[in-house]
Every structure is written in C-alpha cells, then in structure tokens.
Amino acid sequence: MTSTAASPTKDNHSAVDETTPLLSVSEAGPLSQANEEPSLHAASSGDGDDTPLPRTQILVLCYARLVEPIAFFSIFPFINQMILETGKIGEADVGFYSGLIESLFSLTQMLLMISWGRAADRLGRKPVLVFSLSGLAIATALFGLSKAIWQMILFRCLAGVFAGTIVTVRAMITENSTAKTQARAFSFFAFSGNLGIFLGPLLGGALSNPAQQYPSVFGPIQLFKEFPYALPTFVTGAVGASAAVICALFVKETLNRKGDDASSANAPMSMWEIIKSPGVTIVLYLYGHIMLLALAYTAVAPVFWFTRPNLGGYGFSPLQISLFLGSAGISQALWILVAFPPLQHRFGTGAVLRACSILWPITFIIYPLCSVLLRHDLKVTFWIVASITVVVSSGVSMAFTAVQLALNDVAPSPSTLGTLNALALTLVSGIRAVAPALFASIFATGVRTQLINGYLVWVVLVLLALGYTTAVRWLPEKAEGKLEWERSSE
C-alpha cells in the first residue's frame, strides 16, 4: 500500500540531518504524475525513517513560536486603561478603539501573510524568521511609548506587518520532522502556542503601571511614571529580540532549493497552482472550518458561563470562570502532548480529525443541557456532567494539530510549504477578525430575545459542527497519515 507519510526511503544512503529535505523519492516508491511535484511526504515501502527529532532545533523553534501570541495578547489587560489615559477620548469610546487596535494586528497579518510565505519559500526560512522576529520585537516594544491613539494604531499595525514568524516556524517544524516524529513535533508547537497565550496576558497585567504596583522598585524611575505601560511592552519586545538572536545563532536553514524534483519547472509554483494541487482546497477548507469552531467557542464560552441560568447560562462567578478556563487549558495540554502523538501514530491523522468531528457537536449539545440542569436546580448532576464535559471536550484541541499535519501532507513540495501555511494563516486571520464579534452578537441576541430559551448560539454551533462532520469525509487519502496501519498491511 502506498504510504502518505513523510520518510526518506531505505534506498537513500545520503546523510540525514536537520536540513535534509523531506521530499525523497525512491526507486521503489510511487511515480509522480507527469506535471505534478511529488508530495511533501514521499512514499516508502519500508518501515519509515527512524531519525529522531532534532531536539535543539525544535526547542528553539518553539521558543520563537511563543513570541507572536505573547505580542498579541500582552496588551489585553491594560489596553482599555491605556486608551482612556493617553488617548484623550471619552470613556464611552474606549470599547470601539480597543477593539480596533486589537483587531488591526490580525488584519495586517492577513494582508501580508502570503507575501511572507512566498519570501520564505524563495529567500530561505532562517532569514525571514530572524528578520520578522526582530521587527516584531521592535514594534511591540514601541507600543508602550505611545502617547496618542494614532501612535497606538501605527505600532500595532507595524507589529502585524512582521507576520513571517509563525509562517516560517510552521514550515521549519515540518522540515525538521519525519512521518514518525511530526505528530510529536507539532504537539510541542501547539503547546508552545498555548503557553504564549497564557504568558501574554500574565506579563501585561503583572507589569503594567509598575510605578504604582511596585513603588519600592520602579517608583523612582521617571520613565515608568511617564510611560506606565512601557515595561510590559519592553519585556515582550525583549522576548522577541532574544528569540531573534537565538534563532540567528542556532537555527539551521531547512529550505533545500536543490531538492526540487528535476521534472518540475524551475519557476516556483504560483499561489493558484498550489491551491489547485490535489487535496489542497479541501484541507484548507477544513483548516478554516476547525478554526471557526474554535474561535466561536472561545468567544461564547466565557460570557455563557457568566450569564445567569434563567437567561441561558451557568451563572458562574469570575473565580469559577477562571477555574473552568484553567481546567480546559490543562486538559488541552494533556490531550495535545500526551494523547495526540500515540493516537495519530496508531490510527492516523484522518481518524483523529473524524473523532473530533463527532466530539464537537456532542459538546455543543451538552453545554446548553447543563444550563437546563441548573434551571431545574439539579446542581449535583450539573457539576458532575459539566466537569467531565470541560475535560473530555478539550480533546477537540487535537484537531488543531491534526489539520496542520494534513496540510503538510498535501503540500505539493517542500518549496511550497511557506506559501501553503501562509494561505492557511491568512484564512485564520480573516476569521479571527470577524468570528468573535459575530458569535458574541448571536449569543447576545439569543439571550435578549430568549429565542430557543436563550440557546440560539448553541443551535448555530451544532449546525456548524455538523457541517465539519460532513466535510471531513472528503479528507484526501494522502492526508490520512495511517503510518502503523499501512505498515501492518504490507
């Protein structure tokens, strides 16, 4: 049976290291179509590549992965107060400008993501990574020195301009792994992203206005009195700068321009050619659908937990919301780091995606049912069901890593990885710019009108989840990643 996984064949006697291209076609492997580059993960009739993960490279790349979510989320704890104090606007207008400034980062990324991907495919991964990390570090640090709204907008957009970091890291993680190790590599990648999401708000809240929070340490420093939000942005910028230096010193270039198939045209594939490649369109759609479900849930869950049961929520206190968020975060980390790699290795990427497609609508059905339990004062039953649900439903986070592996598997060649990841991330940036407000509005409408007893948004989410359940049936064969099954059938 033809293997869809990435592995050099046993016939390949060349040295293997972090820069070895994953594109490897043996004489025993399947033949490519006349006008088509071989897939990223070339077929093998053997047991696969047992090359272990280059741990130093993966560790450094995961550290670089931290920078973007830290930069994005670090301003959230203080942005409203900063606008009120430095923007010279009324309190009623703060919400508009905070939403604008927060979204401009993603919007700017969306506009430039593909350009960074093309640059990474043509100039090399390492120079794009180091340059984008450096630019992001500078722009993030300067944000804290803003004294007017237009300056905040300028520096936030400038930070979004340097969107090459996450595109390049994804490509390099792929090129540093094999079919057997990519699930583990991307579980580390996903965990580092979640860690950045956690650390960003923590740094922003703990370090803002240090002259007042820590007067004995920062009180005498005039800079932090004049610019009370400079310290968290300086620290965030320092994290980005340190990542740029570390990557410049230790990261190895993974783009092998000589590794292109001799039968392929010398000119790089156009974006349209990449999109038309077998399997790419459906995987990009699945990528966007999964992220839409995730962003919709993220927008709805906290306000749902806060809303009173008689209006269609749980009526949680801020402490209870924090505990549920913390439980979900820990559960996601365990699912991604502990459960996903062996499940993907044993059953394949497609099986994990299909399992998540079943779990998602069930989760969206159970949440409003738990609210119904509270309406009928069945509190013991509620806590049992809700606690189990928040832990088990976190398993859908495996879909985020699985769909990334599927995207890698349908890449026409290693030289298109940057552009393909940029296409996916451009799609996600666009969704991230509109989904939270859209689904929060649907929730508010349902609660205000008591349409379907306040559960309107969950009906919408269930229908969206069922759409994903249907769409995943068209996952292309080469994105299935059935390593162990295929070996056992040989």
Side-chain angles (χ1 to χ4, degrees):
M1 179 179 291
T2 301
S3 171
T4 59
S7 58
T9 64
K10 288 183 178 180
D11 296 327
N12 186 359
H13 299 291
S14 60
V16 178
D17 59 22
E18 293 87 348
T19 62
T20 302
L22 296 183
L23 181 59
S24 177
V25 182
S26 71
E27 295 178 358
L31 296 177
S32 301
Q33 297 178 5
N35 296 319
E36 179 184 336
E37 292 189 62
S39 67
L40 174 67
H41 300 313
S44 170
S45 59
D47 291 333
D49 185 7
D50 291 318
T51 304
L53 274 177
R55 295 188 180 276
T56 301
Q57 294 297 297
I58 298 298
L59 179 63
V60 173
L61 290 172
C62 285
Y63 181 63
R65 171 69 180 99
L66 284 173
V67 176
E68 192 265 352
I70 289 178
F72 180 75
F73 288 101
S74 62
I75 72 167
F76 279 38
F78 61 79
I79 183 63
N80 294 304
Q81 190 66 29
M82 183 179 182
I83 291 172
L84 188 63
E85 292 178 0
T86 64
K88 297 181 176 63
I89 62 172
E91 187 172 352
D93 296 322
V94 168
F96 168 78
Y97 284 103
S98 65
L100 176 65
I101 291 170
E102 289 166 5
S103 63
L104 282 174
F105 186 92
S106 296
L107 290 173
T108 311
Q109 280 187 328
M110 181 181 68
L111 295 174
L112 295 171
M113 197 78 74
I114 293 175
S115 297
W116 281 113
R118 301 295 280 180
D121 285 340
R122 294 176 181 178
L123 304 177
R125 317 296 194 209
K126 183 173 180 177
V128 170
L129 177 61
V130 174
F131 181 76
S132 56
L133 281 171
S134 301
L136 182 59
I138 294 171
T140 302
L142 291 175
F143 184 85
L145 299 178
S146 301
K147 298 298 287 185
I149 290 290
W150 70 267
Q151 294 174 350
M152 298 167 74
I153 291 175
L154 173 64
F155 293 133
R156 195 62 168 167
C157 287
L158 186 61
V161 164
F162 296 97
T165 302
I166 188 169
V167 175
T168 313
V169 169
R170 285 173 184 263
M172 297 183 82
I173 290 282
T174 302
E175 292 162 337
N176 272 298
S177 60
T178 66
K180 286 186 176 180
T181 60
Q182 66 170 344
R184 176 64 64 187
F186 273 96
S187 67
F188 292 144
F189 171 86
F191 176 76
S192 62
N194 288 340
L195 182 60
I197 293 172
F198 169 76
L199 290 176
L202 182 65
L203 289 173
L207 300 179
S208 62
N209 209 343
Q212 287 189 8
Q213 287 202 74
Y214 316 104
S216 60
V217 178
F218 297 103
I221 303 177
Q222 184 61 32
L223 174 67
F224 296 131
K225 292 181 179 179
E226 186 176 354
F227 301 98
Y229 305 101
L231 182 60
T233 61
F234 285 177
V235 171
T236 303
V239 172
S242 66
V245 172
I246 291 172
C247 287
L249 293 175
F250 300 109
V251 163
K252 299 179 181 179
E253 179 60 69
T254 56
L255 179 64
N256 190 337
R257 298 179 185 84
K258 296 181 181 180
D260 293 339
D261 183 31
S263 64
S264 302
N266 292 328
M269 295 180 71
S270 68
M271 186 170 63
W272 184 241
E273 288 173 328
I274 294 172
I275 293 174
K276 291 193 299 181
S277 297
V280 169
T281 302
I282 183 61
V283 173
L284 281 174
Y285 171 79
L286 290 172
Y287 199 110
H289 202 136
I290 286 170
M291 296 307 165
L292 176 63
L293 290 171
L295 289 166
Y297 172 78
T298 302
V300 169
V303 67
F304 169 73
W305 292 338
F306 173 78
T307 303
R308 297 195 309 272
N310 64 308
L311 295 177
Y314 285 178
F316 278 179
S317 67
L319 176 60
Q320 290 171 322
I321 292 175
S322 298
L323 290 174
F324 255 52
L325 286 172
S327 300
I330 294 172
S331 300
Q332 285 185 12
L334 292 175
W335 279 107
I336 291 172
L337 286 175
V338 179
F340 175 73
L343 287 174
Q344 190 275 341
H345 185 75
R346 175 67 182 88
F347 300 108
T349 305
V352 174
L353 286 171
R354 282 185 285 274
C356 292
S357 77
I358 296 171
L359 183 57
W360 238 313
I362 293 174
T363 299
F364 292 156
I365 290 172
I366 292 177
Y367 268 102
L369 290 179
C370 287
S371 177
V372 173
L373 292 176
L374 287 175
R375 286 190 176 195
H376 291 83
D377 205 29
L378 299 174
K379 293 184 179 180
V380 174
T381 306
F382 162 79
W383 282 110
I384 294 173
V385 175
S387 299
I388 294 174
T389 300
V390 76
V391 173
V392 175
S393 66
S394 296
V396 298
S397 61
M398 294 189 295
F400 310 146
T401 305
V403 77
Q404 177 66 53
L405 301 189
L407 191 70
N408 296 342
D409 287 340
V410 298
S413 77
S415 65
T416 62
L417 267 176
T419 302
L420 185 56
N421 275 282
L423 283 168
L425 292 170
T426 298
L427 182 63
V428 172
S429 295
I431 294 171
R432 186 164 65 174
V434 299
L438 173 63
F439 285 92
S441 298
I442 294 174
F443 176 80
T445 300
V447 170
R448 185 174 61 253
T449 63
Q450 281 299 289
L451 188 61
I452 318 178
N453 291 325
Y455 302 130
L456 172 63
V457 72
W458 296 107
V459 174
V460 174
L461 288 174
V462 168
L463 292 175
L464 278 175
L466 290 174
Y468 166 59
T469 306
T470 303
V472 78
R473 297 182 180 182
W474 281 274
L475 185 73
E477 178 65 27
K478 64 179 179 179
E480 288 285 346
K482 296 179 180 178
L483 296 178
E484 195 163 303
W485 287 1
E486 291 192 352
R487 282 202 305 273
S488 64
S489 65
E490 291 177 347

